[in-house]
Amino acid sequence: VHETYRAGREWVAPSDVTLDESGDKRRAIVTATGEEAEIGAVEKMSKSKKNTIGPEEITQSYGADTARWFMLSDSPPDRDVEWNDRGAEGAHRFVQRIWRVISTAAPSLKAGDATGAEGQSLAMRKAAHKALKAIGEDFEKLAFNRAIARVHELLNEIAPIVEKAAGGPEPDKAAAHEALSILVQ
């Protein structure tokens, strides 16, 4: 679903509208003419109301990973998703956060035997495996949005520990490598 825009009697496509959110009132301006457009209801996308937005636009702006993440995270498959830039921007920020955490720690980490991990590193391993099990169950139920929420939770839980483990003993480095591998998968 997406909100509709109308200038006079004509429907206007979201790509032809610039949103002005400064001030008290949210306004839509037709980019080509500068005319103010009426912001209508959020409705099911349709060609007749010109409120269609394809995933190509998000893919071109933010990349395919962000488009996939946004589509899966926003809503259960049996409910409508409101297609908006704010949701895509949030998905993009999260994908970038995963990238930063991994790229910062990766040079120090290596696969190995993590069975000797203790303390926070052991807790990180447990959290990763617990999340993996729960996400697998969510996938079986087609609850993709819940699975995505668990990935968010997992990253929030392990990110500070990964940084410490990257400078720690070999079992801690192996535990961080294992947790990040689970996160990425």
Side-chain angles (χ1 to χ4, degrees):
V1 296
H2 195 277
E3 65 188 6
T4 55
Y5 306 102
R6 193 175 218 162
R9 299 181 72 177
E10 299 292 319
W11 296 103
V12 182
S15 58
D16 296 335
V17 169
T18 303
L19 293 174
D20 177 11
E21 299 188 33
S22 62
D24 298 350
K25 186 179 172 192
R26 191 167 168 259
R27 300 174 10 169
I29 308 295
V30 179
T31 307
T33 64
E35 173 185 10
E36 186 166 348
E38 175 188 342
I39 300 174
V42 173
E43 298 185 33
K44 189 173 189 173
M45 288 188 197
S46 72
K47 289 180 185 176
S48 64
K49 293 186 179 172
K50 295 185 179 180
N51 66 336
T52 59
I53 295 182
E56 301 85 20
E57 292 179 35
I58 290 176
T59 302
Q60 289 171 355
S61 298
Y62 301 105
D65 291 335
T66 295
R68 289 184 197 108
W69 196 260
F70 171 62
M71 285 187 274
L72 292 174
S73 67
D74 201 47
S75 173
D78 58 335
R79 291 196 13 228
D80 290 332
V81 174
E82 183 174 350
W83 205 257
N84 63 52
D85 287 340
R86 288 182 304 274
E89 288 168 5
H92 184 68
R93 281 192 307 274
F94 185 74
V95 169
Q96 292 301 306
R97 182 172 176 223
I98 290 174
W99 176 259
R100 279 191 309 275
V101 168
I102 292 172
S103 63
T104 301
S108 303
L109 303 180
K110 54 185 163 188
D113 184 11
T115 56
E118 298 175 343
Q120 286 186 321
S121 293
L122 179 59
M124 176 177 51
R125 279 189 81 203
K126 287 181 179 180
H129 284 276
K130 182 179 175 183
L132 179 61
K133 181 180 185 300
I135 289 168
E137 291 168 357
D138 289 337
F139 271 27
E140 288 174 12
K141 297 175 192 170
L142 301 178
F144 303 120
N145 61 317
R146 291 188 65 204
I148 296 293
R150 291 183 201 278
V151 174
H152 281 262
E153 291 167 3
L154 177 60
L155 182 62
N156 288 338
E157 189 169 348
I158 69 172
I161 302 169
V162 165
E163 289 181 30
K164 292 175 188 170
E170 294 304 312
D172 291 354
K173 290 179 181 183
H177 184 277
E178 179 181 31
L180 290 177
S181 295
I182 289 171
L183 176 77
V184 169
Q185 290 173 16

